[in-house]
Amino acid sequence: HSAVKMWHLGPYDTESTGEGFTLRFSDSQQLPSAAYDLLASTYDVSEAEVYWKNLGTFTVEEGVLAGEAELEALGTLALVERQ
């Protein structure tokens, strides 16, 4: 996968107290109309390892990166091209 955009949300590892954080992005860099996967980094303490969780598919619609995802904790997000 090729990363198209990345965001670092903080304070890092702040957990949601409910159903997750709702995400909405404006497309300030004019991404081409396409489908993308949104990945969130997660740290597994017992394994001492970082892995990426796919939060779902997002598409660019009228200048907005649209899709639905529930983010369990703040951290790093990566938008990648779908294969």
Side-chain angles (χ1 to χ4, degrees), residues 1-68:
H1 298 287
S2 296
V4 178
K5 283 190 173 191
M6 292 188 80
W7 299 270
H8 300 285
L9 308 176
Y12 186 79
D13 217 20
T14 299
E15 294 184 3
S16 167
T17 58
E19 306 234 349
F21 298 101
T22 301
L23 304 173
R24 180 178 170 87
F25 302 96
S26 62
D27 179 20
S28 60
Q29 293 182 343
Q30 298 300 314
L31 290 170
S33 294
Y36 302 92
D37 287 328
L38 184 64
L39 308 178
S41 66
T42 305
Y43 183 73
D44 184 335
V45 176
S46 64
E47 300 285 327
E49 185 174 337
V50 174
Y51 64 94
W52 294 91
K53 178 180 178 183
N54 191 329
L55 298 180
T57 301
F58 279 64
T59 56
V60 175
E61 299 171 4
E62 297 180 13
V64 174
L65 186 59
E68 292 187 20

